[in-house]
Amino acid sequence: MRKILVTGAAGFIGFHLSKRLLDMGDAVVGLDNMNSYYDVTLKEARLAILQESRAFHPVKAELADRGAMERLFKEERFDIVVNLAAQAGVRYSLINPNSYVDSNLSGFMNILEGCRHGRVQHLVFASSSSVYGANTRLPFSVHDNVDHPLSLYAATKKANELMAHTYASLYQLPCTGLRFFTVYGPWGRPDMALFLFTRAILEDRPIDVFNGGRMQRDFTYIDDIVEGVVRVIESIPAADHAWRGDRPDPSSSFAPYRLYNIGNNNPVELMEFITVLEEQLGRKARKNFLPLQAGDVPSTFADVDDLTADVGFKPSTPIEEGIRRFVSWYRGYYNH
């Protein structure tokens, strides 16, 4: 039985991943600070499900608390670490930038140090499609330079990739970064579009539609994300002997380090997404059209060729099926 640390275990992706790992027979230590960025009762409900397994051990702590993190790594001796905890959200980073520095930079530093001293076999960490920033060449490729972020959130995720590479190089710590593309599904985050739209439509309130509804997002269903993460956990990176310093490829390294996109490889226009949701809810949305917001990008589109080649998996759940499952969960959970 492997012992795996999942940070952000009470969060959307962390909950689903922890459940999958427990079902596979792993022991999971689930760390979460249970902050109030969104509804804590939703986080508690997720944790309650995970605690039905005797192989799950919850830990309430801040990633940025160096002493607490040192004690955790010393006491537990993890085989694998999956870091999903972060202060999320592009728009919130415009309002409360310091929380991103604490969690995403100081907190990630503590994860790296814990993995280094604890001789962890593999650190898998969440990056984000937002690192592509001002890039306009589509689909977004892990082989492209990503040095022009458009939000502090994106900058902290890019920083995580650089910090992990440093530890892979200095200490031979195998690290894999995963750039997630607009994840949605049951038990999702209330600050994400699908959740916000569903709640507003059912309560007959208007929804905010940015960029005139012309935004395109590579919406990726949660089960596809989890399948990708599970496969990547098993695929511990080794040094790429073909890597060259005179033509550096950002996605690999002379060190045990890799980057992958996990996205549906099929961007959908926001208006189409809303239409599918309206069909599933049996109601029309009242739309409040707004301009593109600071920090947002018009389109995201994941090139997943490397993921497919290395771990044999490509996300494929269509939005019609994914939204249907979300609406079914939402109606059941909130008695709508």
Side-chain angles (χ1 to χ4, degrees):
M1 180 186 281
R2 298 178 300 184
K3 184 182 283 187
I4 301 178
L5 171 64
V6 176
T7 71
F12 174 33
I13 301 173
F15 159 69
H16 281 278
L17 177 65
S18 296
K19 192 169 185 307
R20 173 72 181 275
L21 293 171
L22 291 167
D23 290 343
M24 290 168 57
D26 293 310
V28 175
V29 175
L31 181 142
D32 208 289
N33 66 358
M34 303 297 286
N35 71 19
S36 58
Y37 172 64
Y38 64 78
D39 183 13
V40 175
T41 60
L42 184 61
K43 298 179 182 182
E44 290 169 344
R46 295 180 186 133
L47 271 186
I49 292 171
L50 296 177
Q51 287 176 284
E52 292 172 5
S53 169
R54 285 163 46 180
F56 181 76
H57 174 54
V59 173
K60 185 177 180 182
E62 293 278 354
L63 281 190
D65 184 337
R66 189 188 307 172
M69 296 303 291
E70 286 175 351
R71 287 191 296 275
L72 177 66
F73 275 89
K74 200 170 285 184
E75 291 166 6
E76 294 288 357
R77 300 314 234 174
F78 301 110
D79 299 303
I80 307 287
V81 172
V82 183
N83 184 56
L84 301 174
Q87 179 56 62
V90 168
R91 290 170 194 151
Y92 188 63
S93 68
L94 307 179
I95 302 165
N96 192 358
N98 289 317
S99 65
Y100 290 76
V101 173
D102 294 342
S103 179
N104 301 9
L105 298 180
S106 298
F108 192 64
M109 184 71 222
N110 292 335
I111 288 287
L112 288 169
E113 277 290 277
C115 290
R116 168 196 170 194
H117 293 293
R119 301 189 181 282
V120 167
Q121 296 168 19
H122 191 188
L123 167 62
V124 178
F125 64 96
S127 183
S128 166
S129 62
S130 67
V131 300
Y132 289 102
N135 287 28
T136 55
R137 184 166 67 178
L138 299 174
F140 292 148
S141 169
V142 289
H143 303 287
D144 290 341
N145 173 292
V146 289
D147 283 342
H148 298 87
L150 297 177
S151 68
L152 182 66
Y153 170 68
T156 64
K157 289 301 189 178
K158 165 72 174 177
N160 287 171
E161 295 178 358
L162 298 175
M163 293 161 74
H165 182 269
T166 304
Y167 270 63
S169 170
L170 288 173
Y171 308 115
Q172 298 303 298
L173 170 66
C175 294
T176 304
L178 301 177
R179 294 173 177 170
F180 297 139
F181 281 69
T182 316
V183 189
Y184 74 102
W187 296 97
R189 273 174 32 206
D191 63 319
M192 297 287 282
L194 180 57
F195 209 113
L196 290 169
F197 290 172
T198 299
R199 177 167 285 169
I201 293 169
L202 289 173
E203 294 174 0
D204 197 29
R205 290 184 289 106
I207 62 174
D208 289 339
V209 181
F210 295 101
N211 199 33
R214 294 184 301 276
M215 308 251 281
Q216 289 192 322
R217 289 291 180 266
D218 206 346
F219 294 102
T220 312
Y221 189 63
I222 183 62
D223 290 2
D224 288 334
I225 292 286
V226 169
E227 181 65 28
V229 175
V230 166
R231 293 196 186 208
V232 165
I233 287 172
E234 311 286 352
S235 181
I236 298 176
D240 179 0
H241 297 296
W243 192 89
R244 292 178 52 171
D246 61 346
R247 287 207 302 266
D249 180 348
S251 74
S252 65
S253 176
F254 58 88
Y257 174 86
R258 288 292 280 135
L259 291 173
Y260 295 106
N261 289 331
I262 303 188
N264 213 44
N265 190 232
N266 181 30
V268 172
E269 195 166 85
L270 189 56
M271 289 304 290
E272 182 185 344
F273 190 76
I274 292 167
T275 298
V276 174
L277 177 59
E278 289 173 329
E279 289 168 356
Q280 289 298 326
L281 292 172
R283 298 191 188 189
K284 284 288 185 184
R286 291 194 288 127
K287 303 172 186 74
N288 179 30
F289 289 101
L290 295 168
L292 186 69
Q293 284 213 313
D296 270 352
V297 298
S299 301
T300 66
F301 182 2
D303 177 336
V304 293
D305 287 352
D306 285 47
L307 181 74
T308 306
D310 290 356
V311 304
F313 175 69
K314 179 180 179 180
S316 61
T317 305
I319 58 162
E320 291 81 4
E321 178 61 20
I323 290 177
R324 184 190 66 76
R325 293 181 193 173
F326 172 81
V327 168
S328 176
W329 168 80
Y330 186 96
R331 287 187 181 280
Y333 184 78
Y334 289 104
N335 295 316
H336 254 292

